[in-house]
Amino acid sequence: MMMTTALPIQGGCACGNIRYTCTQLPLLMFQCHCRDCQRAVGGLFAANVWFVTDKIMFDTEPKSYVVKSDIGNTIHHEFCADCGSPIGMWIEEDRTGRALRASTLDDPAWLKPDADIFVKNAYPWEVFDPNRPKYQNGPPEELVARLAARIFT
Ligand SMILES: [Zn+2]
Ligand SMILES: [Zn+2]
C-alpha cells in the first residue's frame, strides 16, 4: 500500500543536534532483520525508510561506521555522535537511495512497511504480520523497482 503524508517530512535524533528534511515521499520501507541492522538499532529489526538520496537534507551529517554485508556490499550505518541515536544507512555500491530509521521521523505513524527482509536472521520469538511479504534474504530487484516506481506514477 502506498505511503503518503504531507511534505516536507522532518525528523532527527534524540538530542536534537541532527535534524533533516525530506522533500519527497519515501520510495519504500523494509523491516530489515539482518544482524547488522539489529546491532545498529539495538532491536529485533531496523525499520528502514528509503528515500531518493538527494531528497534528504541534513543540517548536520550523521557519523557512520562501515560493515560488509553477506553479499559484499559496503554498508554505512549512521548515528548521532552526541546521543548515539541510530539515524539511517546507505550502500556505497548504490548511492541512488538512502534510508532513515523510522524512529527518527517526527511522525512515523503514517508509515506502512512493504516487506520483511533477511528474515533468516530474525530471532525465534519474533511474531510476523502474515499479510506482509517475507524474504529470507534481501529483496528481489524486481520488487524494489516496482515499489520505488509508485511515487513517480
Ligand atoms: Zn543526537
Ligand atoms: Zn539490514
Side-chain angles (χ1 to χ4, degrees):
M1 199 188 300
M2 183 70 195
M3 294 180 279
T4 189
T5 191
L7 294 173
I9 297 160
Q10 293 186 303
C13 68
C15 77
N17 285 351
I18 291 179
R19 295 288 300 166
Y20 62 74
T21 299
C22 308
T23 55
Q24 188 178 61
L25 290 171
L27 298 163
L28 54 88
M29 176 179 179
F30 288 144
Q31 298 195 144
C32 186
H33 303 257
C34 84
R35 292 289 293 135
D36 293 324
C37 280
Q38 290 173 355
R39 292 186 179 104
V41 305
L44 299 176
F45 58 84
N48 293 324
V49 188
W50 287 86
F51 291 83
V52 173
T53 297
D54 66 6
K55 302 299 182 190
I56 306 175
M57 264 74 65
F58 279 94
D59 58 1
T60 305
E61 280 288 326
K63 285 249 196 289
S64 70
Y65 62 91
V66 169
V67 294
K68 281 281 178 192
S69 75
D70 288 3
I71 57 167
N73 280 338
T74 311
I75 315 287
H76 293 248
H77 289 277
E78 299 178 302
F79 61 97
C80 172
D82 295 304
C83 68
S85 296
I87 302 294
M89 64 181 287
W90 49 276
I91 302 169
E92 204 167 294
E93 289 79 5
D94 181 3
R95 299 302 313 278
T96 55
R98 180 172 187 173
L100 297 169
R101 313 296 189 190
S103 54
T104 66
L105 272 67
D106 289 344
D107 174 20
W110 55 272
L111 294 168
K112 294 183 179 70
D114 290 300
D116 289 282
I117 63 172
F118 289 100
V119 168
K120 68 178 179 186
N121 293 126
Y123 300 124
W125 60 85
E126 267 215 74
V127 178
F128 287 88
D129 180 344
N131 297 315
R132 189 158 52 234
K134 284 200 289 289
Y135 298 92
Q136 289 301 309
N137 293 290
E141 275 181 40
E142 66 76 25
L143 174 71
V144 173
R146 182 160 47 80
L147 293 174
R150 293 173 302 184
I151 65 166
F152 301 111
T153 55

